[in-house]
Amino acid sequence: MTDQASAPEQETPSTPDIPGRRTSASRTTLSHIMTHNDTNLLGTVHGGVIMKLVDDAAGAVAGRHSGGPAVTASMDEMAFLEPVRVGDLVHVKAQVNWTGRTSMEVGVRVLAERWNESAPPTQVGSAYLVFAAVDADGKPRPVPPVIPETEKDKRRYQEAQIRRTHRLARRRAIMELREKRAAEGFED
């Protein structure tokens, strides 16, 4: 993963003074053929290899959408649905689902197909990452609002808002628990 940003989720959504960008403007696909160098001890592709491809594709989308550097703030969820094998051609499809003032959620789908077969690709994974746009000094900078274009884009936008609400609630609950334990004299 790339550098972490500090608390990008505590922002107010949308940046009205920056023109919005359509979902399709930054959508991208990264493809890579899996080799023996990518395997784990079980002989399938190592999950970390897939996660790096996911982060790379999501980072490209975040940078395109924001018009400059963006860093990984969090990986909200990474689901591995099927194993990936040596010789699979992996396609990592990413798009911005939601934007706040300085952060954006990028949704990623991972597909795999045999390099020498004409069967359609199978979805083998998915992930949601939060990126923070940063300036030359590494400070958060505003991002354009995302403009969902299709019904799927609109659904993804709404689901991203739910994930954001859950991330903030989870963070708040953990901080409250830590403060309570500290007040009771417990050191973690």
Side-chain angles (χ1 to χ4, degrees), residues 15-188:
T15 308
D17 54 332
I18 299 176
R21 291 204 177 130
R22 295 182 306 180
T23 307
S24 63
S26 59
R27 189 178 289 142
T28 194
T29 301
L30 176 103
S31 296
H32 189 79
I33 193 157
M34 298 291 106
T35 68
H36 289 286
N37 292 335
D38 302 317
T39 60
N40 58 26
L41 295 174
L42 297 175
T44 57
V45 172
H46 194 288
V49 170
I50 301 299
M51 290 175 76
K52 181 176 183 337
L53 293 173
V54 164
D55 191 46
D56 288 347
V61 166
R64 282 180 172 185
H65 182 83
S66 68
V71 295
T72 309
S74 69
M75 179 177 275
D76 193 43
E77 183 178 319
M78 177 76 215
F80 296 99
L81 307 173
E82 297 283 336
V84 177
R85 302 172 294 163
V86 169
D88 281 354
L89 182 57
V90 172
H91 308 286
V92 183
K93 298 176 176 279
Q95 75 171 48
V96 172
N97 290 336
W98 175 90
T99 53
R101 193 177 58 76
T102 63
S103 69
M104 48 211 129
E105 183 195 89
V106 179
V108 181
R109 286 184 43 208
V110 184
L111 307 165
E113 61 182 313
R114 295 306 292 167
W115 69 274
N116 59 349
E117 296 175 9
S118 59
T122 302
Q123 184 170 356
V124 295
S126 65
Y128 300 101
L129 296 89
V130 176
F131 279 79
V134 295
D135 63 18
D137 297 322
K139 303 290 184 204
R141 63 180 175 79
V143 299
V146 68
I147 302 169
E149 299 173 90
T150 67
E151 287 305 312
K152 278 186 180 180
D153 294 340
K154 291 173 186 172
R155 175 187 52 80
R156 289 176 179 145
Y157 184 90
Q158 292 170 332
E159 290 173 356
Q161 288 178 306
I162 293 168
R163 281 187 292 275
R164 179 178 185 271
T165 299
H166 287 219
R167 279 191 299 272
L168 292 173
R170 183 176 58 234
R171 181 179 294 148
R172 209 170 19 257
I174 289 169
M175 295 309 292
E176 289 171 4
L177 176 62
R178 288 180 181 175
E179 289 171 8
K180 178 183 174 200
R181 289 183 54 80
E184 294 171 350
F186 294 103
E187 288 188 36
D188 290 333

Side-chain angles (χ1 to χ4, degrees), residues 3-23:
D3 298 331
Q4 291 193 355
S6 59
E9 292 282 340
Q10 296 180 7
E11 59 188 44
T12 55
S14 80
T15 308
D17 54 332
I18 299 176
R21 291 204 177 130
R22 295 182 306 180
T23 307

